[in-house]
Amino acid sequence: MGQGAEPRRVQAHDGELGAAVARAQQGDEAAFAVAYRIVQPALLGYLRGIVGDDAEDVASDAWLEIARDLGRFKGDGAGFRGWTATIARHRALDHLRRQRVRPRSSALEQDVLELPGPQSTHEQALEAMSTEHALELVRGLPRDQAEAVLLRVVVGLDGPAAARVLGKRPGAVRTAAYRGLKRLAGQLGAESVTDDAPRTLGEST
């Protein structure tokens, strides 16, 4: 409870987004463009964390599907963000299957997660999350943690919405997001000290 992971700057647009989506469903192309402008930056950040440099292509495929199926969507602005993230995730996973790219993971990561880290570094990780560098670090997380962090922090979904996108229980997503942020905080804090000593992760001030 209360890790403050929801980016209010994303959610602040939900009223405007919901109204734009409703108009777009009535055939208003300008309203669809408004919805696209609100959602695309976060969606692209999410996809960059999964497929890297191919994010633009995957996003294009996702938006084609979003436009095609828009009439079937029912919900508000927050619901639309979750729905578009689900579609983008399916396109990203299809892309990864085609590329036969396996998520990078190792036994070391489990050890690092058990190290204590100061709570304040979570906020530093959140602040840096919008940068390309942070997204590259996210790609190094185990898949479940990377997706939980991206959906909660970059896309701005709440726990239940992120859980629906991933097809998991909210508690599992919350835990994965916490562990991912803890690892990121350790990496961001330790990077200036060393690249070769994972044992120091989480010990930064």
Side-chain angles (χ1 to χ4, degrees):
M1 159 171 192
Q3 287 179 47
E6 271 64 70
R8 284 160 181 67
R9 69 188 184 286
V10 173
Q11 296 175 337
H13 291 297
D14 278 353
E16 181 187 358
L17 177 58
V21 169
R23 292 197 310 277
Q25 287 180 312
Q26 302 303 316
D28 185 337
E29 291 184 14
F32 186 82
V34 170
Y36 172 87
R37 282 197 301 271
I38 293 173
V39 172
Q40 172 70 349
L43 205 63
L44 203 54
Y46 171 53
L47 289 171
R48 279 203 188 101
I50 302 177
V51 300
D53 292 340
D54 295 328
E56 297 268 4
D57 291 340
V58 174
S60 294
D61 289 344
W63 279 105
L64 286 173
E65 185 173 338
I66 291 162
R68 186 193 71 203
D69 295 343
L70 186 62
R72 297 216 300 261
F73 171 73
K74 290 179 173 55
D76 57 9
F80 187 72
R81 282 191 290 112
W83 183 67
T84 55
T86 300
I87 290 173
R89 179 174 190 262
H90 288 156
R91 296 287 68 77
L93 295 181
D94 286 347
H95 177 81
L96 291 178
R97 274 192 289 271
R98 285 195 302 271
Q99 301 292 317
R100 290 187 170 83
V101 174
R102 297 175 185 274
R104 287 170 291 177
S105 180
S106 71
L108 169 67
E109 284 158 352
Q110 238 6 81
D111 298 334
V112 171
L113 289 175
E114 304 311 316
L115 292 172
Q119 192 72 19
S120 63
T121 57
H122 282 66
E123 299 306 315
Q124 294 166 10
L126 293 179
E127 287 302 313
M129 194 57 60
S130 62
T131 67
E132 290 293 328
H133 178 56
L135 288 173
E136 185 58 34
L137 289 178
V138 170
R139 295 191 71 203
L141 293 174
R143 172 66 62 78
D144 64 329
Q145 293 174 25
E147 290 207 74
V149 169
L150 289 164
L151 288 170
R152 294 294 303 276
V153 179
V154 179
V155 182
L157 300 184
D158 62 18
R164 283 193 296 274
V165 171
L166 296 174
K168 296 183 177 180
R169 295 187 315 279
V173 174
R174 197 178 309 119
T175 299
Y178 173 79
R179 288 178 171 173
L181 287 172
K182 181 178 177 181
R183 177 167 167 77
L184 284 175
Q187 285 183 314
L188 290 168
E191 268 187 344
S192 59
V193 179
T194 178
D195 290 325
D196 301 321
R199 289 181 304 282
T200 65
L201 295 184
E203 296 176 2
S204 58
T205 54

